[in-house]
Coordinates of all heavy atoms in Angstrom, one line a residue:
L555 N -40.3 34.7 -117.5 CA -40.9 35.0 -116.2 C -41.0 36.6 -116.1 O -42.1 37.1 -115.8 CB -40.0 34.6 -115.1 CG -40.1 33.1 -114.8 CD1 -39.1 32.8 -113.6 CD2 -41.5 32.6 -114.3
L556 N -40.0 37.3 -116.4 CA -40.0 38.7 -116.2 C -40.8 39.4 -117.3 O -41.2 40.6 -117.0 CB -38.5 39.2 -116.2 CG -37.7 38.7 -115.1 CD1 -36.2 39.1 -115.2 CD2 -38.2 39.1 -113.7
A557 N -41.1 38.8 -118.4 CA -41.9 39.5 -119.4 C -43.3 39.7 -118.9 O -44.0 40.6 -119.4 CB -42.0 38.6 -120.7
G558 N -43.8 38.9 -118.0 CA -45.2 39.0 -117.4 C -45.3 40.0 -116.3 O -46.4 40.2 -115.8
K559 N -44.2 40.6 -115.9 CA -44.2 41.6 -114.8 C -44.9 42.9 -115.2 O -44.8 43.3 -116.4 CB -42.8 41.9 -114.3 CG -42.2 40.9 -113.5 CD -40.8 41.3 -113.0 CE -40.7 42.7 -112.8 NZ -39.4 43.2 -112.2
D560 N -45.6 43.5 -114.3 CA -46.3 44.8 -114.5 C -45.3 45.9 -114.4 O -45.4 46.9 -115.0 CB -47.4 45.0 -113.6 CG -48.6 44.0 -113.9 OD1 -48.7 43.6 -115.0 OD2 -49.3 43.7 -112.9
S561 N -44.3 45.8 -113.5 CA -43.4 46.8 -113.2 C -42.1 46.3 -112.6 O -42.0 45.1 -112.3 CB -44.0 47.9 -112.3 OG -44.1 47.4 -111.0
D562 N -41.2 47.1 -112.3 CA -40.0 46.7 -111.6 C -40.1 46.8 -110.1 O -39.2 46.7 -109.3 CB -38.8 47.6 -112.0 CG -38.2 47.1 -113.4 OD1 -38.4 46.0 -113.7 OD2 -37.6 48.0 -114.1
A563 N -41.4 47.1 -109.6 CA -41.6 47.2 -108.2 C -41.3 46.0 -107.4 O -41.0 46.1 -106.2 CB -43.1 47.6 -108.0
T564 N -41.3 44.8 -108.0 CA -41.0 43.6 -107.3 C -39.5 43.3 -107.3 O -39.0 42.2 -106.9 CB -41.7 42.4 -107.9 OG1 -41.4 42.3 -109.2 CG2 -43.2 42.5 -107.7
G565 N -38.7 44.2 -107.8 CA -37.2 44.0 -107.7 C -36.7 42.9 -108.5 O -35.7 42.2 -108.1
G566 N -37.3 42.5 -109.6 CA -36.8 41.5 -110.5 C -37.5 40.2 -110.3 O -37.3 39.2 -111.0
A567 N -38.3 40.1 -109.3 CA -39.1 38.8 -109.0 C -40.2 38.7 -110.0 O -40.7 39.7 -110.5 CB -39.6 38.8 -107.6
A568 N -40.6 37.5 -110.3 CA -41.7 37.2 -111.2 C -43.0 37.0 -110.4 O -43.9 36.3 -110.9 CB -41.4 36.0 -112.1
E569 N -43.1 37.6 -109.3 CA -44.3 37.4 -108.4 C -45.6 37.8 -109.2 O -45.6 38.9 -109.8 CB -44.1 38.3 -107.2 CG -45.1 38.1 -106.1 CD -44.8 38.9 -104.9 OE1 -43.6 38.9 -104.5 OE2 -45.7 39.4 -104.3
G570 N -46.6 37.0 -109.1 CA -47.8 37.3 -109.7 C -47.9 36.9 -111.2 O -49.0 37.0 -111.8
V571 N -46.9 36.4 -111.8 CA -46.9 36.0 -113.2 C -47.7 34.7 -113.3 O -47.5 33.8 -112.5 CB -45.5 35.8 -113.7 CG1 -45.5 35.3 -115.1 CG2 -44.7 37.1 -113.7
K572 N -48.6 34.6 -114.2 CA -49.4 33.4 -114.4 C -49.2 32.9 -115.8 O -49.1 33.6 -116.8 CB -50.9 33.7 -114.3 CG -51.3 34.3 -112.9 CD -51.2 33.3 -111.8 CE -51.7 33.9 -110.5 NZ -51.4 33.1 -109.4
F573 N -49.0 31.6 -115.9 CA -48.7 30.9 -117.1 C -50.0 30.2 -117.6 O -50.7 29.7 -116.8 CB -47.6 29.9 -117.0 CG -46.3 30.4 -116.8 CD1 -45.8 30.6 -115.5 CD2 -45.5 30.9 -117.9 CE1 -44.5 31.1 -115.3 CE2 -44.3 31.4 -117.7 CZ -43.7 31.5 -116.4
K574 N -50.3 30.2 -118.9 CA -51.4 29.5 -119.4 C -50.8 28.2 -120.0 O -50.1 28.2 -121.0 CB -52.1 30.3 -120.5 CG -52.6 31.6 -120.1 CD -53.8 31.5 -119.2 CE -54.3 32.9 -118.9 NZ -54.9 33.1 -117.6
L575 N -51.1 27.1 -119.3 CA -50.5 25.8 -119.7 C -51.4 25.1 -120.8 O -50.9 24.1 -121.4 CB -50.3 24.9 -118.5 CG -49.4 25.5 -117.5 CD1 -49.3 24.5 -116.3 CD2 -48.0 25.8 -118.0
G576 N -52.6 25.5 -121.0 CA -53.5 24.8 -121.9 C -54.0 23.4 -121.5 O -54.4 22.6 -122.3
L577 N -54.0 23.2 -120.2 CA -54.5 21.9 -119.7 C -56.0 21.9 -119.7 O -56.6 23.0 -119.6 CB -54.0 21.6 -118.3 CG -52.5 21.5 -118.1 CD1 -52.2 21.5 -116.6 CD2 -52.0 20.2 -118.8
P578 N -56.7 20.7 -119.9 CA -58.1 20.7 -119.9 C -58.7 21.2 -118.6 O -58.2 20.8 -117.5 CB -58.4 19.2 -120.1 CG -57.2 18.6 -120.7 CD -56.1 19.4 -120.2
A579 N -59.7 22.0 -118.6 CA -60.3 22.6 -117.4 C -60.7 21.6 -116.4 O -60.6 21.7 -115.2 CB -61.4 23.5 -117.8
A580 N -61.3 20.5 -116.9 CA -61.8 19.4 -116.0 C -60.6 18.8 -115.2 O -60.7 18.5 -114.0 CB -62.5 18.3 -116.8
F581 N -59.5 18.6 -115.9 CA -58.3 18.1 -115.3 C -57.8 19.0 -114.2 O -57.5 18.6 -113.1 CB -57.2 17.8 -116.3 CG -55.9 17.4 -115.7 CD1 -55.7 16.1 -115.3 CD2 -54.9 18.3 -115.5 CE1 -54.5 15.7 -114.7 CE2 -53.7 17.9 -114.9 CZ -53.5 16.6 -114.5
V582 N -57.7 20.3 -114.5 CA -57.2 21.3 -113.6 C -58.1 21.3 -112.3 O -57.6 21.4 -111.2 CB -57.1 22.7 -114.2 CG1 -56.8 23.8 -113.2 CG2 -56.0 22.7 -115.3
E583 N -59.4 21.4 -112.6 CA -60.3 21.4 -111.5 C -60.2 20.2 -110.6 O -60.3 20.3 -109.3 CB -61.8 21.6 -112.0 CG -62.8 21.8 -110.9 CD -62.5 23.0 -110.0 OE1 -61.9 24.0 -110.4 OE2 -62.9 23.0 -108.8
A584 N -60.1 19.0 -111.2 CA -60.0 17.7 -110.4 C -58.7 17.8 -109.6 O -58.8 17.4 -108.4 CB -59.9 16.5 -111.4
Q585 N -57.6 18.3 -110.1 CA -56.4 18.3 -109.3 C -56.5 19.4 -108.2 O -56.0 19.2 -107.1 CB -55.2 18.7 -110.3 CG -54.8 17.6 -111.2 CD -54.5 16.3 -110.5 OE1 -53.6 16.3 -109.6 NE2 -55.1 15.2 -111.0
R586 N -57.1 20.5 -108.5 CA -57.3 21.6 -107.5 C -58.1 21.0 -106.4 O -57.8 21.3 -105.2 CB -58.0 22.8 -108.2 CG -58.0 24.0 -107.2 CD -58.5 25.2 -107.9 NE -57.4 25.7 -108.7 CZ -57.5 26.0 -110.0 NH1 -58.6 25.9 -110.7 NH2 -56.4 26.5 -110.7
K587 N -59.2 20.3 -106.6 CA -60.0 19.7 -105.6 C -59.2 18.7 -104.7 O -59.5 18.6 -103.5 CB -61.2 19.0 -106.2 CG -62.3 20.0 -106.6 CD -63.5 19.2 -107.2 CE -64.6 20.2 -107.7 NZ -65.7 19.5 -108.3
K588 N -58.3 18.0 -105.3 CA -57.5 17.1 -104.5 C -56.5 17.9 -103.5 O -56.1 17.3 -102.5 CB -56.6 16.2 -105.4 CG -57.4 15.2 -106.2 CD -56.5 14.4 -107.1 CE -57.3 13.4 -107.9 NZ -56.4 12.6 -108.8
G589 N -56.2 19.1 -103.9 CA -55.4 19.9 -103.0 C -53.9 19.7 -103.2 O -53.5 19.0 -104.1
A590 N -53.2 20.2 -102.2 CA -51.7 20.1 -102.3 C -51.3 18.6 -102.2 O -51.7 17.9 -101.4 CB -51.1 20.8 -101.1
A591 N -50.4 18.2 -103.2 CA -50.0 16.9 -103.3 C -49.3 16.3 -102.1 O -49.5 15.2 -101.7 CB -49.1 16.7 -104.5
S592 N -48.6 17.2 -101.4 CA -47.8 16.7 -100.2 C -48.8 16.4 -99.0 O -48.3 15.8 -98.0 CB -46.8 17.8 -99.8 OG -47.4 19.0 -99.4
L593 N -50.1 16.8 -99.1 CA -51.0 16.6 -98.0 C -52.1 15.5 -98.4 O -53.0 15.2 -97.7 CB -51.7 17.9 -97.6 CG -50.8 18.9 -96.9 CD1 -51.6 20.1 -96.6 CD2 -50.2 18.3 -95.7
R594 N -52.0 15.0 -99.6 CA -53.0 14.0 -100.1 C -52.8 12.7 -99.3 O -51.7 12.2 -99.2 CB -52.8 13.8 -101.6 CG -53.2 15.0 -102.4 CD -53.1 14.7 -103.9 NE -53.3 16.0 -104.6 CZ -53.2 16.1 -105.9 NH1 -52.9 15.1 -106.7 NH2 -53.4 17.3 -106.5
E595 N -53.9 12.3 -98.8 CA -53.9 11.0 -98.0 C -53.2 11.1 -96.7 O -52.8 10.0 -96.2 CB -53.5 9.8 -98.9 CG -54.4 9.6 -100.1 CD -53.9 8.4 -100.9 OE1 -53.3 7.5 -100.4 OE2 -54.3 8.4 -102.1
Q596 N -52.8 12.2 -96.2 CA -52.2 12.4 -94.9 C -52.5 13.7 -94.3 O -52.7 14.7 -95.1 CB -50.7 12.1 -95.0 CG -49.9 13.2 -95.8 CD -48.5 12.9 -95.9 OE1 -48.1 11.7 -95.7 NE2 -47.7 13.8 -96.3
E597 N -52.4 13.8 -93.0 CA -52.6 15.1 -92.3 C -51.3 15.9 -92.3 O -50.2 15.3 -92.3 CB -53.2 14.8 -90.9 CG -54.6 14.3 -90.9 CD -55.2 14.2 -89.5 OE1 -54.8 15.0 -88.7 OE2 -56.0 13.3 -89.3
R598 N -51.4 17.2 -92.1 CA -50.3 18.0 -92.0 C -49.6 17.7 -90.7 O -50.2 17.7 -89.6 CB -50.7 19.5 -92.0 CG -49.5 20.4 -91.9 CD -49.9 21.8 -92.0 NE -50.6 22.2 -90.7 CZ -51.1 23.3 -90.4 NH1 -51.2 24.3 -91.3 NH2 -51.6 23.6 -89.2
D599 N -48.3 17.4 -90.8 CA -47.4 17.1 -89.6 C -46.0 17.6 -89.9 O -45.3 17.0 -90.7 CB -47.5 15.6 -89.3 CG -46.6 15.3 -88.1 OD1 -46.1 16.2 -87.4 OD2 -46.4 14.1 -87.8

Side-chain angles (χ1 to χ4, degrees):
L555 285 175
L556 297 174
K559 284 181 32 174
D560 292 333
S561 72
D562 283 335
T564 57
E569 189 174 319
V571 174
K572 301 291 183 191
F573 290 96
K574 304 288 187 214
L575 300 180
L577 297 171
F581 173 82
V582 172
E583 186 57 30
Q585 293 300 311
R586 186 171 285 127
K587 283 181 180 178
K588 290 179 182 182
S592 63
L593 293 178
R594 293 179 188 178
E595 300 182 23
Q596 65 183 18
E597 292 187 28
R598 182 179 73 184
D599 179 9

